Amino acid sequence: MTGRPWDQVAAEDLARLRNAHLLRERRIIEPVDATHVRWDGREYINFSSNNYLGLTHHHRLIAATRLATEKYGTGAGAAPLITGYGPAHASAERAIARWKGTQAAVILPSGYQANHAAIQTAAAIGRLGGNGVRFLVDKLAHASLIDAIRGTGEAMRVFPHNHVAKLQRLLEDAPAGQLQVVVTESIFSMDGDAADLPAIAELKQLHNFLLLLDEAHAAGIYGLHGNGLAAEMGVADAVDVTVMTLSKALGGIGGGVCASSVFCDALVNYGRAYLFSTSVPPTVAAAAEAAVAIVQDEPARRHRLRAISRHVRERIGRTKFGIPDGDSPIIPIVLGGERAALDAAQTLGSQGLLVMAVRPPTVARGSSRLRVTLCSEHTDAEVERLLGCVEKLA
Ligand SMILES: Cc1ncc(COP(=O)(O)O)c(C=O)c1O
């Protein structure tokens, strides 16, 4: 143990976490291809990546990245309002906005930052309106949304997961003139279930609110053009601000905020998470633009992903593990205790399947789980191998 008192405090708590099976540690996982990794000298089928469409290894994405690096170099060199915003960024933002059907889009270095900038912008607009702002957020919304709202210092009310009736009551009770910002995800990251977007969209007939939707786990997978769950459900017009990540189905890194031109202009002025950070490298923007094109050109990827997701859900649903509703490629196998989740992950690991255990505080205490995620590039034989092992586990 170190002599520095602050390190000692941390070391004691880390030891406590280790004893409680809650310590988080990184491991060095070497990618082999879109669905296989090497870890500790052994190869595994990766069932814990958000690389839903296998685009990380798509030849068009690799070519676009290489080309942009050769043309523009490796880094943007400055924040977007200094000299860091170039033709690759502008072109990718136009492509994303066209795809999402919004007037404009802004690219940020991560989905985490995109959520911060979008929330900061909504908060600033609320303050400007003179009557303040209040965020109404689903209980299972991602940490980046919660952190962002807390960071604004503005009022927040949490409604029970997917409880639209409670959300409606909160909207009915809203102080006159105060901007209400409803914040939810389309596909929830840990349970893989969907928000009741039609019901939330219907609330717009009765109440005036800004709807901010995080489509991190739906972009690329849902919608006729892979442009998200709101589009698939025919309620895209009800969504005022969409946040998406470029880091999951799109196979790269970064986040995007898609909204009206005015909101995006406001974000460029009020979104501190955007203003005070270096632009993504041009190569990241070029990769995002290529990914959006592939998603539209190759619908077979998302069709296969959704077909295997339904199949796996149906088969696991027949075991003692209940599966939440939906057809997303995020499939939670809830085991309860942390130890049980870690042991199950180890059992699957011994069969060459990499499935991570997810424990508190990422999920509620008592709901530790394996979080299986599927990729369109998993073969039928690999999917069957997973199912065989999970069925044995059950
Ligand atoms: C729902 C949701 N929103 C936002 C993020 C953050 O995205 P990124 O990983 O690009 O920072 C994540 C992912 O981790 C997520 O699951």
Side-chain angles (χ1 to χ4, degrees), residues 50 52 109-115 140-145 185-190 214-217 243-248 252-255 330 371:
N50 300 316
Y52 300 118
S110 71
Y112 189 95
Q113 264 175 274
N115 272 336
L140 294 189
H142 191 254
S144 55
L145 292 161
E185 291 173 33
S186 51
I187 296 293
F188 286 85
S189 60
M190 287 300 137
D214 182 337
E215 291 248 41
H217 294 278
V243 179
M244 50 179 273
T245 169
L246 311 174
S247 331
K248 303 188 193 300
I253 181 73
I330 302 170
R371 178 178 179 270

Side-chain angles (χ1 to χ4, degrees), residues 126-324:
R127 283 180 212 119
L128 287 167
N131 293 307
V133 55
R134 186 172 69 153
F135 291 91
L136 308 176
V137 55
D138 188 287
K139 185 168 172 39
L140 294 189
H142 191 254
S144 55
L145 292 161
I146 305 293
D147 292 354
I149 296 169
R150 285 195 183 132
T152 66
E154 299 294 346
M156 168 167 67
R157 293 293 300 271
V158 176
F159 58 90
H161 179 48
N162 261 341
H163 201 318
V164 179
K166 175 71 180 170
L167 171 61
Q168 180 166 6
R169 285 200 290 281
L170 288 168
L171 288 165
E172 282 162 2
D173 294 345
Q178 186 188 55
L179 176 63
Q180 305 298 302
V181 182
V182 174
V183 178
T184 189
E185 291 173 33
S186 51
I187 296 293
F188 286 85
S189 60
M190 287 300 137
D191 290 82
D193 58 338
D196 190 350
L197 293 181
I200 295 175
E202 218 174 293
L203 287 181
K204 281 218 150 183
Q205 311 295 325
L206 303 170
H207 301 282
N208 201 9
F209 61 89
L210 187 161
L211 177 57
L212 190 156
L213 184 66
D214 182 337
E215 291 248 41
H217 294 278
I221 301 170
Y222 290 87
L224 186 58
H225 307 289
N227 48 349
L229 188 66
E232 174 154 323
M233 294 191 157
V235 296
D237 284 350
V239 181
D240 301 289
V241 179
T242 300
V243 179
M244 50 179 273
T245 169
L246 311 174
S247 331
K248 303 188 193 300
L250 297 190
I253 181 73
V257 177
C258 308
S260 67
S261 302
V262 174
F263 190 91
C264 290
D265 289 348
L267 185 145
V268 167
N269 283 270
Y270 316 138
R272 294 169 67 86
Y274 182 67
L275 288 176
F276 297 112
S277 190
T278 298
S279 261
V280 295
T283 176
V284 165
E289 183 166 350
V292 164
I294 295 167
V295 164
Q296 292 171 91
D297 294 346
E298 299 183 15
R301 285 178 185 265
R302 62 179 167 277
H303 295 161
R304 171 168 171 78
L305 177 68
R306 292 182 69 175
I308 59 175
S309 301
R310 280 191 293 270
H311 176 63
V312 170
R313 282 170 167 273
E314 199 264 317
R315 282 272 295 277
I316 297 182
R318 278 194 234 148
T319 69
K320 71 170 191 182
F321 302 122
I323 299 290

Side-chain angles (χ1 to χ4, degrees), residues 55-67 290:
L55 296 198
T56 52
H57 289 69
H58 196 291
H59 65 96
R60 280 171 65 188
L61 227 69
I62 292 170
T65 305
R66 194 174 282 146
L67 202 72

